[in-house]
Coordinates of all heavy atoms in Angstrom, one line a residue:
M1 N 25.8 -49.1 17.8 CA 24.4 -49.4 17.4 C 24.2 -50.0 16.0 O 23.5 -50.9 15.8 CB 23.5 -48.1 17.5 CG 22.1 -48.4 17.3 SD 21.4 -49.0 18.8 CE 19.8 -48.5 18.7
L2 N 24.9 -49.5 15.0 CA 24.9 -49.9 13.7 C 25.4 -51.5 13.6 O 24.9 -52.2 12.9 CB 25.7 -49.0 12.8 CG 25.7 -49.4 11.3 CD1 24.2 -49.3 10.7 CD2 26.6 -48.4 10.5
M3 N 26.4 -51.7 14.3 CA 27.0 -53.0 14.3 C 26.0 -54.1 14.9 O 25.9 -55.3 14.3 CB 28.3 -53.1 15.1 CG 28.9 -54.5 15.1 SD 29.4 -54.9 13.4 CE 31.2 -54.9 13.6
S4 N 25.2 -53.8 15.9 CA 24.3 -54.7 16.4 C 23.1 -54.9 15.4 O 22.5 -56.0 15.5 CB 23.8 -54.2 17.8 OG 23.0 -53.0 17.6
K5 N 22.7 -53.9 14.7 CA 21.7 -54.1 13.7 C 22.2 -55.0 12.6 O 21.4 -55.8 12.0 CB 21.3 -52.7 13.2 CG 20.4 -51.9 14.1 CD 20.0 -50.6 13.3 CE 19.1 -49.9 14.2 NZ 18.6 -48.7 13.7
K6 N 23.5 -54.9 12.2 CA 24.0 -55.8 11.1 C 24.0 -57.2 11.7 O 23.7 -58.1 11.0 CB 25.4 -55.4 10.8 CG 25.5 -54.1 9.9 CD 26.9 -53.9 9.6 CE 27.0 -52.6 8.7 NZ 28.4 -52.3 8.3
I7 N 24.5 -57.4 12.9 CA 24.6 -58.8 13.5 C 23.0 -59.3 13.6 O 22.9 -60.5 13.2 CB 25.1 -58.8 14.9 CG1 26.6 -58.4 14.7 CG2 24.9 -60.0 15.5 CD1 27.4 -58.2 16.0
A8 N 22.1 -58.5 14.0 CA 20.7 -59.0 14.1 C 20.2 -59.3 12.7 O 19.5 -60.4 12.5 CB 19.8 -58.0 14.6
F9 N 20.5 -58.6 11.6 CA 20.0 -58.9 10.3 C 20.7 -60.2 9.8 O 20.0 -61.0 9.2 CB 20.3 -57.7 9.4 CG 20.0 -58.1 7.9 CD1 18.7 -58.0 7.5 CD2 21.0 -58.4 7.0 CE1 18.5 -58.3 6.2 CE2 20.7 -58.7 5.7 CZ 19.5 -58.6 5.2
I10 N 22.0 -60.4 10.1 CA 22.6 -61.6 9.6 C 22.1 -62.8 10.4 O 21.8 -63.8 9.7 CB 24.2 -61.4 9.9 CG1 24.8 -60.4 8.9 CG2 24.9 -62.8 9.7 CD1 26.2 -60.1 9.2
A11 N 21.7 -62.7 11.7 CA 21.2 -63.8 12.4 C 19.8 -64.1 11.9 O 19.4 -65.4 11.6 CB 21.1 -63.4 13.9
F12 N 19.0 -63.1 11.6 CA 17.7 -63.3 10.9 C 17.8 -64.0 9.7 O 17.1 -65.0 9.3 CB 16.9 -62.0 10.8 CG 15.6 -62.1 10.1 CD1 14.5 -62.6 10.7 CD2 15.6 -61.7 8.7 CE1 13.3 -62.8 9.9 CE2 14.5 -61.8 8.0 CZ 13.2 -62.4 8.5
F13 N 18.7 -63.5 8.7 CA 18.8 -64.1 7.5 C 19.3 -65.6 7.5 O 18.7 -66.4 6.8 CB 19.8 -63.3 6.6 CG 20.0 -63.7 5.2 CD1 19.1 -63.5 4.2 CD2 21.2 -64.4 4.8 CE1 19.3 -63.9 3.0 CE2 21.3 -64.8 3.5 CZ 20.3 -64.5 2.5
M14 N 20.2 -65.9 8.4 CA 20.6 -67.2 8.6 C 19.6 -68.2 9.0 O 19.4 -69.3 8.6 CB 21.9 -67.3 9.5 CG 23.0 -66.6 8.9 SD 23.6 -67.3 7.4 CE 24.4 -68.8 8.0
S15 N 18.7 -67.7 10.0 CA 17.6 -68.5 10.5 C 16.6 -68.7 9.3 O 16.1 -69.8 9.2 CB 16.8 -67.7 11.5 OG 17.7 -67.5 12.6
F16 N 16.4 -67.8 8.5 CA 15.4 -67.9 7.3 C 16.0 -69.0 6.4 O 15.3 -69.8 5.9 CB 15.3 -66.6 6.7 CG 14.4 -66.6 5.4 CD1 13.1 -66.7 5.5 CD2 15.0 -66.6 4.1 CE1 12.2 -66.8 4.4 CE2 14.3 -66.8 3.0 CZ 12.8 -66.8 3.1
L17 N 17.3 -69.0 6.1 CA 17.9 -70.0 5.2 C 17.7 -71.3 5.8 O 17.5 -72.3 5.1 CB 19.3 -69.6 4.9 CG 19.6 -68.5 4.0 CD1 21.2 -68.2 3.9 CD2 19.1 -68.7 2.6
Q18 N 17.9 -71.5 7.1 CA 17.8 -72.8 7.7 C 16.4 -73.3 7.6 O 16.2 -74.6 7.2 CB 18.3 -72.8 9.2 CG 19.7 -72.6 9.3 CD 20.1 -72.5 10.8 OE1 19.4 -72.1 11.7 NE2 21.4 -72.8 11.1
I19 N 15.4 -72.5 7.8 CA 14.0 -72.9 7.7 C 13.7 -73.2 6.2 O 13.1 -74.2 6.0 CB 13.1 -71.8 8.3 CG1 13.3 -71.7 9.7 CG2 11.6 -72.1 7.9 CD1 12.6 -70.5 10.4
S20 N 14.2 -72.5 5.3 CA 13.9 -72.8 3.9 C 14.6 -74.2 3.5 O 14.0 -74.9 2.8 CB 14.6 -71.8 3.0 OG 13.9 -70.5 3.3
M21 N 15.8 -74.4 4.0 CA 16.4 -75.7 3.7 C 15.7 -76.8 4.2 O 15.5 -77.9 3.6 CB 17.8 -75.7 4.2 CG 18.8 -74.8 3.4 SD 20.4 -74.6 4.1 CE 21.0 -76.3 4.2
L22 N 15.2 -76.7 5.5 CA 14.4 -77.8 6.1 C 13.1 -78.1 5.2 O 12.7 -79.2 5.1 CB 14.0 -77.5 7.5 CG 15.2 -77.5 8.6 CD1 14.7 -77.0 9.9 CD2 15.7 -79.0 8.6
H23 N 12.4 -77.1 4.9 CA 11.2 -77.2 4.1 C 11.5 -77.8 2.7 O 10.7 -78.5 2.2 CB 10.5 -75.9 4.0 CG 9.2 -75.9 3.2 ND1 8.1 -76.5 3.7 CD2 8.9 -75.5 1.9 CE1 7.1 -76.4 2.7 NE2 7.6 -75.9 1.6
A24 N 12.6 -77.5 2.2 CA 12.9 -77.9 0.8 C 13.2 -79.4 0.8 O 13.1 -80.1 -0.4 CB 14.2 -77.2 0.3
Q25 N 13.4 -80.1 2.0 CA 13.7 -81.5 1.9 C 12.5 -82.3 1.7 O 12.5 -83.4 1.3 CB 14.4 -81.9 3.2 CG 15.8 -81.3 3.4 CD 16.4 -81.7 4.7 OE1 15.7 -82.2 5.6 NE2 17.6 -81.5 4.8
D26 N 11.3 -81.7 2.0 CA 10.0 -82.5 1.7 C 9.8 -82.5 0.3 O 9.9 -81.6 -0.5 CB 8.9 -81.8 2.4 CG 8.8 -81.9 3.9 OD1 9.5 -82.9 4.4 OD2 8.2 -81.1 4.6
R27 N 9.3 -83.7 -0.2 CA 9.0 -83.9 -1.7 C 8.0 -85.0 -1.8 O 7.8 -85.9 -0.9 CB 10.2 -84.1 -2.5 CG 10.9 -85.4 -2.2 CD 12.0 -85.5 -3.4 NE 12.9 -86.6 -2.9 CZ 13.9 -86.6 -2.2 NH1 14.2 -85.5 -1.5 NH2 14.6 -87.6 -1.9
T28 N 7.5 -85.2 -2.9 CA 6.5 -86.2 -3.1 C 7.2 -87.2 -4.0 O 7.7 -87.0 -5.0 CB 5.3 -85.6 -4.0 OG1 4.6 -84.6 -3.2 CG2 4.3 -86.7 -4.3
I29 N 7.0 -88.4 -3.5 CA 7.5 -89.6 -4.3 C 6.2 -90.4 -4.8 O 5.1 -90.2 -4.3 CB 8.3 -90.7 -3.4 CG1 7.5 -91.2 -2.2 CG2 9.6 -90.0 -2.9 CD1 8.1 -92.3 -1.4
S30 N 6.4 -91.2 -5.9 CA 5.4 -91.8 -6.4 C 5.9 -93.2 -7.0 O 7.1 -93.3 -7.2 CB 4.6 -91.0 -7.5 OG 5.4 -90.7 -8.5
G31 N 5.0 -94.1 -7.4 CA 5.4 -95.3 -8.1 C 4.3 -96.2 -8.2 O 3.1 -95.9 -7.9
T32 N 4.6 -97.4 -8.6 CA 3.7 -98.6 -8.9 C 4.2 -99.8 -8.1 O 5.4 -100.1 -8.2 CB 3.5 -98.7 -10.3 OG1 3.2 -97.6 -11.0 CG2 2.6 -99.9 -10.6
V33 N 3.4 -100.5 -7.5 CA 3.7 -101.8 -6.8 C 3.1 -102.9 -7.6 O 1.8 -102.9 -7.8 CB 3.3 -101.8 -5.3 CG1 3.8 -103.0 -4.6 CG2 3.8 -100.4 -4.6
T34 N 3.9 -103.8 -7.9 CA 3.4 -105.0 -8.7 C 3.8 -106.3 -8.0 O 4.9 -106.3 -7.2 CB 3.8 -105.0 -10.1 OG1 5.2 -105.0 -10.1 CG2 3.2 -103.9 -10.9
S35 N 3.2 -107.5 -8.3 CA 3.5 -108.7 -7.8 C 4.7 -109.2 -8.5 O 4.7 -109.1 -9.8 CB 2.3 -109.6 -7.9 OG 2.7 -110.9 -7.6
A36 N 5.7 -109.7 -7.8 CA 6.9 -110.3 -8.5 C 6.5 -111.6 -9.1 O 7.1 -112.0 -10.2 CB 8.0 -110.6 -7.5
A37 N 5.4 -112.2 -8.8 CA 5.1 -113.6 -9.3 C 4.5 -113.5 -10.7 O 4.8 -114.2 -11.6 CB 4.1 -114.3 -8.3
D38 N 3.6 -112.4 -10.8 CA 3.0 -112.4 -12.2 C 2.9 -111.0 -12.8 O 2.3 -110.7 -13.8 CB 1.5 -112.9 -12.0 CG 0.7 -112.1 -11.0 OD1 1.1 -111.1 -10.6 OD2 -0.5 -112.7 -10.7
G39 N 3.5 -109.9 -12.1 CA 3.6 -108.5 -12.6 C 2.4 -107.8 -12.5 O 2.2 -106.7 -13.0
M40 N 1.3 -108.4 -11.9 CA 0.0 -107.7 -11.7 C 0.1 -106.6 -10.6 O 0.9 -106.8 -9.6 CB -1.1 -108.7 -11.3 CG -1.3 -109.7 -12.5 SD -2.0 -109.0 -14.0 CE -3.5 -108.4 -13.5
P41 N -0.6 -105.5 -10.9 CA -0.6 -104.5 -9.8 C -1.2 -104.9 -8.5 O -2.1 -105.8 -8.5 CB -1.5 -103.4 -10.4 CG -2.1 -103.9 -11.6 CD -1.4 -105.2 -12.0
L42 N -0.8 -104.4 -7.4 CA -1.3 -104.7 -6.1 C -2.0 -103.6 -5.4 O -1.5 -102.7 -4.8 CB -0.1 -105.1 -5.2 CG 0.7 -106.3 -5.6 CD1 1.9 -106.5 -4.6 CD2 -0.2 -107.5 -5.5
P43 N -3.4 -103.5 -5.7 CA -4.2 -102.5 -5.1 C -4.3 -102.7 -3.6 O -4.3 -103.9 -3.0 CB -5.5 -102.7 -5.8 CG -5.6 -104.1 -6.3 CD -4.1 -104.4 -6.5
G44 N -4.5 -101.7 -2.8 CA -4.6 -101.7 -1.3 C -3.4 -102.1 -0.5 O -3.5 -102.4 0.6
L45 N -2.2 -101.9 -1.2 CA -1.0 -102.2 -0.4 C -0.7 -100.9 0.4 O -0.8 -99.8 0.0 CB 0.1 -102.5 -1.3 CG 1.6 -102.8 -0.7 CD1 2.0 -104.1 -1.3 CD2 2.5 -101.8 -1.0
N46 N -0.1 -101.2 1.7 CA 0.1 -100.1 2.6 C 1.5 -99.5 2.2 O 2.5 -100.3 2.0 CB 0.2 -100.6 4.0 CG -1.2 -101.0 4.5 OD1 -2.2 -100.2 4.4 ND2 -1.3 -102.2 5.0
V47 N 1.6 -98.1 2.1 CA 2.9 -97.4 1.9 C 3.0 -96.4 3.0 O 2.2 -95.4 2.9 CB 2.9 -96.8 0.5 CG1 4.2 -96.1 0.2 CG2 2.5 -97.8 -0.6
V48 N 3.8 -96.6 3.9 CA 3.9 -95.8 5.1 C 5.3 -95.4 5.4 O 6.3 -96.2 5.2 CB 3.3 -96.6 6.3 CG1 3.4 -95.8 7.6 CG2 2.0 -97.1 6.1
V49 N 5.5 -94.1 5.9 CA 6.8 -93.7 6.4 C 7.1 -94.4 7.7 O 6.2 -94.3 8.6 CB 6.9 -92.1 6.5 CG1 8.2 -91.7 7.2 CG2 6.7 -91.5 5.2
K50 N 8.2 -95.1 7.8 CA 8.5 -95.8 9.0 C 8.4 -94.9 10.3 O 8.9 -93.8 10.3 CB 9.9 -96.4 8.9 CG 10.2 -97.4 9.9 CD 11.6 -98.0 9.7 CE 11.9 -99.1 10.8 NZ 13.0 -99.8 10.5
D51 N 7.9 -95.5 11.3 CA 7.8 -94.8 12.6 C 6.9 -93.5 12.5 O 7.3 -92.5 13.2 CB 9.1 -94.6 13.2 CG 9.9 -95.9 13.5 OD1 9.2 -96.8 13.9 OD2 11.1 -95.8 13.5
S52 N 5.8 -93.4 11.7 CA 5.1 -92.3 11.6 C 3.7 -92.6 11.2 O 3.4 -93.8 11.0 CB 5.6 -91.3 10.5 OG 5.2 -91.8 9.3
N53 N 2.8 -91.7 11.2 CA 1.4 -92.0 10.8 C 1.2 -91.5 9.3 O 0.0 -91.4 8.8 CB 0.4 -91.2 11.7 CG 0.4 -91.8 13.0 OD1 0.6 -93.0 13.3 ND2 0.3 -90.9 14.1
N54 N 2.3 -91.1 8.7 CA 2.2 -90.6 7.3 C 2.2 -91.8 6.3 O 3.2 -92.6 6.2 CB 3.4 -89.7 7.0 CG 3.4 -89.1 5.6 OD1 2.4 -89.1 4.9 ND2 4.5 -88.6 5.1
G55 N 1.1 -92.0 5.7 CA 1.0 -93.0 4.7 C -0.1 -93.0 3.7 O -1.0 -92.1 3.8
T56 N -0.2 -94.0 3.0 CA -1.3 -94.2 2.0 C -1.5 -95.6 1.5 O -0.7 -96.5 2.1 CB -1.0 -93.3 0.7 OG1 -2.2 -93.2 -0.2 CG2 0.2 -93.7 0.0
V57 N -2.4 -95.9 0.6 CA -2.5 -97.2 0.0 C -2.4 -97.0 -1.5 O -2.8 -96.1 -2.0 CB -3.8 -97.9 0.5 CG1 -3.8 -98.3 2.0 CG2 -5.0 -97.1 0.1
T58 N -2.1 -98.2 -2.2 CA -2.1 -98.1 -3.6 C -3.5 -98.1 -4.1 O -4.4 -98.7 -3.5 CB -1.2 -99.3 -4.2 OG1 -1.8 -100.5 -3.6 CG2 0.3 -99.2 -3.7
D59 N -3.6 -97.5 -5.4 CA -4.9 -97.5 -6.0 C -5.1 -98.8 -6.7 O -4.3 -99.8 -6.6 CB -5.1 -96.3 -6.8 CG -4.2 -96.3 -8.0 OD1 -3.5 -97.3 -8.4 OD2 -4.1 -95.2 -8.7
F60 N -6.2 -98.9 -7.5 CA -6.6 -100.1 -8.2 C -5.5 -100.6 -9.2 O -5.3 -101.8 -9.4 CB -7.9 -99.8 -9.1 CG -8.4 -101.0 -9.7 CD1 -9.1 -102.0 -9.1 CD2 -8.2 -101.2 -11.1 CE1 -9.5 -103.2 -9.7 CE2 -8.7 -102.3 -11.8 CZ -9.4 -103.3 -11.1
D61 N -4.7 -99.6 -9.6 CA -3.6 -100.0 -10.6 C -2.2 -100.2 -9.9 O -1.2 -100.2 -10.5 CB -3.5 -98.9 -11.7 CG -4.8 -98.9 -12.5 OD1 -5.3 -100.0 -13.0 OD2 -5.1 -97.7 -12.9
G62 N -2.3 -100.2 -8.6 CA -1.0 -100.3 -7.8 C -0.2 -99.1 -7.6 O 1.0 -99.1 -7.2
N63 N -0.8 -97.9 -8.0 CA -0.1 -96.6 -8.0 C -0.2 -96.0 -6.7 O -1.2 -96.1 -6.0 CB -0.5 -95.6 -9.1 CG -0.3 -96.2 -10.5 OD1 0.7 -96.7 -10.8 ND2 -1.5 -96.1 -11.3
F64 N 0.8 -95.2 -6.3 CA 0.7 -94.4 -5.0 C 1.5 -93.1 -5.1 O 2.4 -93.0 -6.1 CB 1.3 -95.3 -3.8 CG 2.8 -95.3 -3.8 CD1 3.6 -94.5 -3.2 CD2 3.4 -96.4 -4.7 CE1 5.0 -94.5 -3.3 CE2 4.8 -96.5 -4.7 CZ 5.6 -95.6 -4.0
S65 N 1.2 -92.2 -4.2 CA 1.9 -90.9 -4.1 C 2.1 -90.5 -2.7 O 1.0 -90.8 -1.9 CB 1.1 -89.9 -4.9 OG 1.8 -88.7 -4.8
L66 N 3.1 -90.1 -2.1 CA 3.3 -89.8 -0.8 C 4.4 -88.7 -0.5 O 5.4 -88.7 -1.2 CB 3.8 -91.1 -0.1 CG 4.0 -91.2 1.5 CD1 2.5 -90.9 2.2 CD2 4.5 -92.4 1.9
T67 N 4.0 -87.8 0.4 CA 5.0 -86.7 0.7 C 6.0 -87.2 1.8 O 5.5 -87.7 2.8 CB 4.3 -85.5 1.1 OG1 3.4 -85.0 0.1 CG2 5.3 -84.4 1.5
V68 N 7.3 -87.1 1.5 CA 8.3 -87.6 2.4 C 9.5 -86.7 2.6 O 9.6 -85.8 1.8 CB 8.8 -89.1 1.9 CG1 7.7 -90.1 1.9 CG2 9.5 -88.9 0.6
N69 N 10.4 -87.0 3.4 CA 11.7 -86.4 3.6 C 12.8 -87.2 3.1 O 12.6 -88.5 3.2 CB 11.8 -86.0 5.2 CG 13.0 -85.2 5.4 OD1 14.1 -85.6 5.1 ND2 12.7 -84.0 5.8
E70 N 13.8 -86.7 2.7 CA 14.9 -87.5 2.0 C 15.5 -88.5 3.1 O 16.2 -89.5 2.8 CB 15.9 -86.7 1.4 CG 16.8 -85.8 2.4 CD 17.8 -84.9 1.6 OE1 17.7 -84.7 0.4 OE2 18.7 -84.4 2.3
T71 N 15.4 -88.2 4.4 CA 16.0 -89.1 5.4 C 15.0 -90.2 5.8 O 15.4 -91.0 6.6 CB 16.3 -88.3 6.6 OG1 15.1 -87.6 7.2 CG2 17.4 -87.2 6.3
D72 N 13.7 -90.2 5.3 CA 12.7 -91.1 5.6 C 12.9 -92.6 5.1 O 13.7 -92.7 4.1 CB 11.4 -90.7 5.1 CG 10.8 -89.6 6.0 OD1 11.3 -89.4 7.1 OD2 9.9 -88.9 5.4
V73 N 12.4 -93.5 5.7 CA 12.4 -94.9 5.2 C 10.9 -95.2 4.9 O 10.1 -95.1 5.8 CB 13.0 -95.9 6.2 CG1 12.8 -97.4 5.8 CG2 14.4 -95.6 6.4
V74 N 10.6 -95.8 3.7 CA 9.2 -96.1 3.4 C 9.0 -97.6 3.5 O 9.8 -98.3 3.0 CB 8.9 -95.5 1.9 CG1 7.4 -95.9 1.5 CG2 9.2 -94.1 1.8
V75 N 8.0 -98.0 4.1 CA 7.6 -99.4 4.4 C 6.5 -99.8 3.5 O 5.4 -99.1 3.5 CB 7.3 -99.6 5.8 CG1 6.9 -101.2 6.1 CG2 8.4 -99.2 6.7
F76 N 6.7 -100.8 2.6 CA 5.6 -101.3 1.6 C 5.2 -102.7 2.3 O 6.0 -103.6 2.5 CB 6.2 -101.5 0.4 CG 6.7 -100.2 -0.3 CD1 8.0 -99.8 -0.1 CD2 5.9 -99.6 -1.2 CE1 8.4 -98.7 -0.7 CE2 6.3 -98.5 -1.8 CZ 7.6 -98.0 -1.5
S77 N 3.9 -102.8 2.6 CA 3.5 -104.0 3.2 C 2.0 -104.4 2.8 O 1.2 -103.4 2.5 CB 3.5 -103.9 4.8 OG 2.6 -102.8 5.3
M78 N 1.8 -105.7 2.8 CA 0.5 -106.2 2.6 C 0.4 -107.6 3.0 O 1.4 -108.4 2.9 CB 0.2 -106.2 1.0 CG -1.2 -106.6 0.6 SD -1.4 -106.3 -1.1 CE -3.2 -106.3 -1.3
M79 N -0.7 -108.0 3.6 CA -0.8 -109.4 4.1 C -0.6 -110.4 3.0 O -1.1 -110.2 1.9 CB -2.3 -109.6 4.7 CG -2.4 -110.9 5.5 SD -3.9 -111.2 6.2 CE -4.1 -109.8 7.3
G80 N 0.3 -111.3 3.3 CA 0.5 -112.4 2.3 C 1.7 -112.1 1.4 O 2.1 -112.9 0.6
F81 N 2.4 -110.9 1.6 CA 3.5 -110.5 0.8 C 4.7 -110.1 1.7 O 4.4 -109.7 2.9 CB 3.2 -109.4 -0.1 CG 2.3 -109.7 -1.2 CD1 0.9 -109.7 -1.1 CD2 2.8 -110.1 -2.4 CE1 0.0 -110.0 -2.1 CE2 1.9 -110.5 -3.5 CZ 0.6 -110.5 -3.3
T82 N 5.9 -110.2 1.2 CA 7.1 -109.9 2.0 C 7.2 -108.3 2.1 O 7.0 -107.6 1.1 CB 8.3 -110.3 1.4 OG1 8.3 -111.8 1.2 CG2 9.6 -109.9 2.2
T83 N 7.3 -107.9 3.4 CA 7.4 -106.4 3.6 C 8.8 -105.9 3.3 O 9.7 -106.5 3.4 CB 7.2 -106.1 5.2 OG1 5.9 -106.5 5.6 CG2 7.4 -104.6 5.5
Q84 N 8.8 -104.7 2.5 CA 10.0 -104.2 2.1 C 10.1 -102.8 2.7 O 9.2 -102.0 2.8 CB 10.0 -104.0 0.6 CG 10.2 -105.2 -0.2 CD 10.4 -105.0 -1.7 OE1 11.1 -104.0 -2.1 NE2 9.7 -105.8 -2.5
E85 N 11.4 -102.5 3.2 CA 11.7 -101.1 3.6 C 12.8 -100.5 2.8 O 13.8 -101.1 2.5 CB 12.2 -101.2 5.1 CG 11.2 -101.6 6.1 CD 11.7 -101.6 7.5 OE1 12.8 -101.1 7.8 OE2 11.0 -102.1 8.4
I86 N 12.4 -99.3 2.3 CA 13.4 -98.6 1.3 C 13.8 -97.2 1.8 O 12.8 -96.4 2.0 CB 12.9 -98.7 0.0 CG1 12.6 -100.1 -0.6 CG2 13.8 -97.9 -1.1 CD1 11.9 -100.3 -1.9
S87 N 15.0 -96.9 1.8 CA 15.3 -95.4 2.2 C 15.0 -94.5 1.0 O 15.3 -94.9 -0.1 CB 16.8 -95.4 2.5 OG 17.1 -96.1 3.6
V88 N 14.5 -93.3 1.3 CA 14.2 -92.4 0.2 C 15.4 -91.9 -0.4 O 15.5 -91.9 -1.7 CB 13.2 -91.3 0.7 CG1 12.9 -90.3 -0.4 CG2 11.9 -91.9 1.3
G89 N 16.3 -91.3 0.3 CA 17.4 -90.6 -0.3 C 17.0 -89.5 -1.3 O 16.1 -88.8 -1.1
T90 N 17.6 -89.6 -2.6 CA 17.3 -88.6 -3.5 C 16.2 -89.2 -4.6 O 15.8 -88.4 -5.5 CB 18.6 -88.2 -4.4 OG1 19.1 -89.4 -4.9 CG2 19.5 -87.6 -3.4
R91 N 15.8 -90.5 -4.4 CA 14.8 -91.0 -5.3 C 13.4 -90.3 -5.2 O 13.0 -89.9 -4.2 CB 14.6 -92.5 -5.1 CG 15.8 -93.3 -5.2 CD 15.7 -94.7 -4.8 NE 14.6 -95.3 -5.6 CZ 14.2 -96.7 -5.3 NH1 14.8 -97.4 -4.4 NH2 13.2 -97.1 -6.1
T92 N 12.8 -90.3 -6.3 CA 11.4 -89.8 -6.4 C 10.4 -90.8 -7.0 O 9.2 -90.7 -6.8 CB 11.2 -88.4 -7.2 OG1 11.8 -88.8 -8.5 CG2 12.0 -87.3 -6.5
N93 N 11.0 -91.8 -7.7 CA 10.1 -92.8 -8.3 C 10.5 -94.2 -7.7 O 11.6 -94.6 -7.7 CB 10.4 -92.9 -9.9 CG 9.4 -93.8 -10.5 OD1 8.4 -94.1 -10.1 ND2 9.9 -94.4 -11.7
F94 N 9.4 -94.9 -7.3 CA 9.5 -96.2 -6.6 C 8.7 -97.1 -7.3 O 7.5 -97.2 -7.1 CB 9.2 -96.0 -5.1 CG 10.2 -95.3 -4.3 CD1 10.2 -93.9 -4.4 CD2 11.0 -96.0 -3.4 CE1 11.1 -93.2 -3.6 CE2 11.9 -95.4 -2.6 CZ 12.0 -94.0 -2.7
D95 N 9.2 -97.9 -8.3 CA 8.6 -99.0 -8.9 C 9.0 -100.3 -8.2 O 10.1 -100.8 -8.3 CB 8.8 -99.1 -10.3 CG 8.1 -97.9 -11.1 OD1 7.0 -97.5 -10.6 OD2 8.6 -97.5 -12.1
I96 N 8.1 -100.9 -7.4 CA 8.4 -101.9 -6.5 C 7.7 -103.3 -6.9 O 6.6 -103.3 -7.3 CB 7.9 -101.6 -5.1 CG1 8.4 -100.2 -4.6 CG2 8.3 -102.7 -4.0 CD1 9.9 -100.1 -4.5
Q97 N 8.5 -104.4 -6.8 CA 7.8 -105.7 -6.9 C 7.9 -106.5 -5.6 O 8.9 -106.4 -4.9 CB 8.6 -106.5 -8.1 CG 8.3 -106.0 -9.4 CD 8.7 -107.1 -10.5 OE1 9.7 -107.8 -10.3 NE2 8.0 -107.2 -11.5

């Protein structure tokens, strides 16, 4: 009986660690998007996690903030500009031209 309680406790503890690790991967990235032509900020540019509904738009100064996972790819797009896709990895700051 004592051995089965130990096994149950170990299984519970390992499950808790796995859930904590999955949650820890989410983080907030931020940055500024500017035009490569003149360096001016690009307000209203779409910043979206690829293949999801998770996204935002840049503010008046071209700034954005978005919660992502390290395995995500972020898509930066705006009509009239080249779309860029960037893997998040360990980065937290994205200054894009």
Side-chain angles (χ1 to χ4, degrees):
M1 185 78 156
L2 184 59
M3 184 61 114
S4 64
K5 286 184 178 181
K6 284 183 181 179
I7 291 172
F9 175 77
I10 291 171
F12 171 78
F13 184 73
M14 295 301 289
S15 296
F16 177 77
L17 285 177
Q18 288 177 335
I19 291 170
S20 296
M21 288 173 56
L22 288 174
H23 180 69
Q25 291 177 349
D26 288 341
R27 67 172 169 278
T28 300
I29 61 169
S30 60
T32 304
V33 183
T34 56
S35 170
D38 59 12
M40 296 298 292
L42 293 175
L45 184 128
N46 296 308
V47 183
V48 180
V49 175
K50 187 174 185 176
D51 299 328
S52 81
N53 293 326
N54 182 19
T56 188
V57 294
T58 55
D59 66 11
F60 184 75
D61 296 318
N63 299 314
F64 72 93
S65 179
L66 184 64
T67 302
V68 298
N69 188 291
E70 67 182 17
T71 60
D72 287 338
V73 173
V74 179
V75 180
F76 298 86
S77 64
M78 184 176 202
M79 189 178 299
F81 292 88
T82 303
T83 298
Q84 291 188 39
E85 295 185 7
I86 301 176
S87 297
V88 173
T90 59
R91 296 174 60 180
T92 56
N93 186 26
F94 288 76
D95 290 327
I96 308 297
Q97 282 194 329

